[in-house]
């Protein structure tokens, strides 16, 4: 993790100012790089959707500096309070019912009466949120449907050109997007697996999680639906490299780049030791690297479907799904 230098502090201040002025800014979080806009400003949010070419039915996550700031925007629940106490600041987004007359513009919520909230832990992101002084909507900083960036080297130049500032803080620690939990009721519903695993949540709460029908679970690993009403953004094809992707590959076929998991003969390695956190942190980096070689396909070794391996497999399934 990189802390801000004095030049970096100035850049973050400029970025905070740019957000208040309705501009777009790319910044690091502990999961992936985000592209942020003022959550209350429909013109800024429209610019963000257009820059990413993101369908406007796909709502955005609202990033706040603190739990109090986040919960002032929603009808909170006991479950949400418990999750926030345990996992914020950190890589978890919590979906709750929005208050009436929310300052978060309806476009950012894709017209839903719910909103996804996140309080990130990355110190540079925290500083930016303080400087902006307002909630910031931030999807991953990639053209819609493409691989998320975990390093500024992954950023799309056309997307960068649409931003007032790009804050570079090296590689993102977790490397995959936040776990999204619907906490509107008593039972936690996993809308997107992520760095905080279902077992961590279950151990803390002493309650079982359930999986939204759009999400593959350990018991039904291939059940990705084309679209689920509860998480409109969970399209079957997502996080996709340019090259087609083949999962659970045990060996490389002609023209392929082979990404290994504890596999000695691979071209690139998610991990050489079988460490799932390391594999998650390297996932998008390796997919970006493999894609740059213009292979016929990218083959990825089997990833154990346990712990954060679940989130890795979910990303791979979407990357491998038929494209529109
Ligand atoms: O780690 C992350 O969450 C990153 C960083 C930048 O914070 N952001 C991120 O945003 O991954 P994005 O836009 O790429 O993914 C947001 C997901 C989408 O699948 C969207 O459908 C879902 O959050 N989402 C947002 N609001 C929702 C809501 N009210 N109900 C259900 N799903 C929601
Ligand atoms: Mg994304």
């Amino acid at each position: 993790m990189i802390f801000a230098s004095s030049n970096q502090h100035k850049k973050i201040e400029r970025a905070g100012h740019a957000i208040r002025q309705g501009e777009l800014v790319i910044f690091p979080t502990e999961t992936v790089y985000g592209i942020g806009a003022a959550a209350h400003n429909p013109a800024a949010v429209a610019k963000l959707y257009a820059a990413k070419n993101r369908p406007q039915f796909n709502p955005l996550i609202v990033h706040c500096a603190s739990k109090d700031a986040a919960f002032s925007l929603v009808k909170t629940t006991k479950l949400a309070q418990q999750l926030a106490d345990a996992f914020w600041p950190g890589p978890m987004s919590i979906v709750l019912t929005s208050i009436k007359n929310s300052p978060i513009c309806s476009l950012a919520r894709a017209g839903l009466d719910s909103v996804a909230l996140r309080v990130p832990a990355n110190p540079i992101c925290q500083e930016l949120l303080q400087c902006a002084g307002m909630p910031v909507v931030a999807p991953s900083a990639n053209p819609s449907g493409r691989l998320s960036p975990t390093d500024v080297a992954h950023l799309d130049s056309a997307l960068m050109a649409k931003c007032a500032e790009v804050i570079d803080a090296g590689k993102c620690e977790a490397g995959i997007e936040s776990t999204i939990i619907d906490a509107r009721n008593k039972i936690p519903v996993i809308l997107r697996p992520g760095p905080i695993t279902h077992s961590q949540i279950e151990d803390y709460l002493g309650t079982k999680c359930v999986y939204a029908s759009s999400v593959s679970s350990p018991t039904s690993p291939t059940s990705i639906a084309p679209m689920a009403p509860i998480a409109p953004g969970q399209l079957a094809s997502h996080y996709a490299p340019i090259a087609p992707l083949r999962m659970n590959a045990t060996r490389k076929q002609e023209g392929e780049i082979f990404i290994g998991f504890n596999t000695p003969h691979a071209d690139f390695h998610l991990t050489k030791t079988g460490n799932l956190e390391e594999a998650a942190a390297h996932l998008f980096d390796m997919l970006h690297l493999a894609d740059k070689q213009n292979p016929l396909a990218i083959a990825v070794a089997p990833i154990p479907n346990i712990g954060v391996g679940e989130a890795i497999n979910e990303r791979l399934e979407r990357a491998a799904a038929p494209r529109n």
Side-chain angles (χ1 to χ4, degrees):
M1 190 186 299
I2 295 182
F3 288 86
S5 63
S6 69
N7 273 348
Q8 191 85 309
H9 285 305
K10 287 196 190 112
K11 200 176 184 55
I12 296 168
E13 262 173 38
R14 284 200 304 273
H17 180 73
I19 286 177
R20 288 198 301 280
Q21 297 298 307
E23 301 292 330
L24 308 180
V25 163
I26 293 182
F27 60 93
T29 81
E30 65 273 37
T31 58
V32 299
Y33 276 81
I35 175 169
H40 70 277
N41 181 340
V45 175
K47 205 189 295 183
L48 177 51
Y49 276 101
K52 274 190 60 114
N53 197 17
R54 178 179 176 109
Q56 293 197 356
F57 58 78
N58 188 0
L60 301 166
I61 296 175
V62 176
H63 296 62
C64 297
S66 67
K67 173 183 155 187
D68 288 348
F71 282 175
S72 72
L73 303 169
V74 287
K75 294 179 190 150
T76 183
T77 60
K78 185 172 168 228
L79 172 61
Q81 293 283 353
Q82 286 175 306
L83 291 170
D85 288 343
F87 300 108
W88 276 355
M92 175 180 280
S93 299
I94 303 178
V95 172
L96 286 162
T97 303
S98 172
I99 51 168
K100 286 218 162 56
N101 304 319
S102 168
I104 308 304
C105 66
S106 166
L107 183 57
R109 291 181 280 124
L112 298 177
D113 66 0
S114 60
V115 62
L117 300 168
R118 166 152 138 73
V119 178
N122 177 290
I124 291 178
C125 181
Q126 269 288 336
E127 190 178 331
L128 173 65
L129 291 169
Q130 300 284 354
C131 285
M134 56 178 62
V136 172
V137 282
S140 48
N142 51 277
S144 188
R146 293 287 161 210
L147 297 170
S148 298
T150 56
D151 188 303
V152 288
H154 301 154
L155 291 170
D156 178 85
S157 48
L159 192 57
M160 276 202 282
K162 292 173 186 153
C163 295
E165 297 287 342
V166 176
I167 305 172
D168 180 356
K171 288 190 191 302
C172 302
E173 252 177 286
I176 45 173
E177 304 82 351
S178 60
T179 307
I180 306 181
I181 305 292
D182 184 343
R184 284 176 289 184
N185 298 300
K186 290 197 172 133
I187 296 172
V189 181
I190 299 183
L191 301 183
R192 178 173 74 183
I196 296 173
T197 65
H198 76 96
S199 345
Q200 280 173 285
I201 297 168
E202 288 170 358
D203 288 350
Y204 181 79
L205 297 174
T207 323
K208 283 267 174 224
C209 295
V210 300
Y211 287 77
S213 58
S214 61
V215 180
S216 68
S217 71
T219 46
S220 61
T222 55
S223 66
I224 286 181
M227 200 188 297
I230 197 160
Q234 300 293 49
L235 302 175
S237 171
H238 211 75
Y239 314 110
I242 307 285
L245 187 136
R246 188 165 71 86
M247 288 179 74
N248 299 315
T250 45
R251 66 170 63 86
K252 173 173 168 164
Q253 292 174 2
E254 207 181 322
E256 284 185 340
I257 294 279
F258 187 25
I259 301 182
F261 180 94
N262 209 4
T263 328
H265 50 276
D267 299 306
F268 295 113
H269 301 270
L270 291 177
T271 167
K272 289 183 176 176
T273 60
N275 179 316
L276 284 164
E277 280 73 28
E278 186 191 349
H282 289 159
L283 178 70
F284 287 124
D285 201 20
M286 294 302 132
L287 290 173
H288 275 283
L289 277 176
D291 216 19
K292 273 203 180 140
Q293 322 252 329
N294 291 320
L296 278 183
I298 301 173
V300 185
I303 313 291
N305 210 34
I306 48 169
V308 74
E310 237 179 74
I312 300 176
N313 281 320
E314 196 258 0
R315 302 310 187 267
L316 290 172
E317 279 173 34
R318 289 184 199 278
R323 318 274 166 90
N324 299 327

